[in-house]
Amino acid sequence: MTSSSSPTPRQLTTERLVLRPWTAAEAVAVLGNTRSAHWADDFPAEGDSVIAGLFEDNPAWLGEFGHRLIIERDSSLVVGSIGLFWPPGDGAVEIGYGIVASRRGRGYAPEATRALAGFALTAPGVHTVFAEVELSNPASVRVLEKASFHRWATGEDTARFKTTKPDHHER
């Protein structure tokens, strides 16, 4: 796993969470099943392991507008991850998130999603943050609704949600 020579991306802080960029060492630890004292007992979840395995092929995901660990401020434990699938296409970037089972139901996912989406909308050329969720996962649908995303497309098994810059108008 290589590291970039660019400056370390800044962390984002919300009322109850810190969204901190992954380090290469953390990705290696997740992939090697090496436990950290700074992780909730049920971190990493399957999705976290998948993302950690993709950093080598997607180095931009470790950059300023990439993936982050979700840290519970009260305990200082990593309780999930969230990220932007960088780079954007046509001004839109996809977001994905996951909270470990022991911390679900506390509103962490919408809080983190709001914060990272708001940050993403400050990136040059980005006007839309979107997510695609399976309709069989109503909890994820609620996360996006609570994070002020709006449904803009529904397929047979999935729905797409988005949030845009306030001054962005669809053509």
Side-chain angles (χ1 to χ4, degrees):
M1 182 133 325
T2 58
S3 64
S4 167
S5 61
S6 62
T8 303
R10 65 184 165 137
Q11 68 183 23
L12 304 175
T13 304
T14 69
E15 181 182 342
R16 301 175 299 157
L17 305 170
V18 172
L19 309 180
R20 181 181 53 73
W22 286 72
T23 66
E26 288 164 331
V28 168
V30 165
L31 294 172
N33 293 319
T34 305
R35 296 281 320 140
S36 169
H38 302 288
W39 294 350
D41 288 341
D42 49 351
F43 182 86
E46 182 180 347
D48 304 309
S49 297
V50 169
I51 291 297
L54 295 172
F55 287 145
E56 190 72 40
D57 292 333
N58 299 281
W61 292 3
L62 290 172
E64 181 73 9
F65 293 98
H67 285 259
R68 294 162 185 268
L69 295 172
I70 300 172
I71 301 163
E72 186 177 55
R73 288 177 65 184
D74 285 348
S75 70
S76 298
L77 295 175
V78 175
V79 299
S81 65
I82 188 167
L84 301 167
F85 296 96
W86 206 257
D90 295 326
V93 65
E94 185 173 7
I95 193 169
Y97 47 85
I99 300 291
V100 295
S102 65
R103 299 308 200 280
R104 290 184 190 145
R106 300 179 187 194
Y108 289 169
E111 185 174 330
T113 300
R114 263 190 310 276
L116 190 57
F119 180 66
L121 293 172
T122 69
V126 174
H127 56 70
T128 301
V129 178
F130 71 94
E132 185 167 336
V133 297
E134 295 179 9
L135 294 173
S136 62
N137 187 351
S140 195
V141 170
R142 283 192 304 279
V143 164
L144 294 167
E145 291 170 345
K146 289 179 181 178
S148 299
F149 280 58
H150 304 283
R151 187 183 301 222
W152 62 280
T154 303
E156 186 174 322
D157 299 321
T158 61
R160 293 185 77 163
F161 288 79
K162 69 179 177 179
T163 187
T164 58
K165 283 185 175 181
D167 60 349
H168 178 73
H169 301 288
E170 298 293 321
R171 297 188 230 276

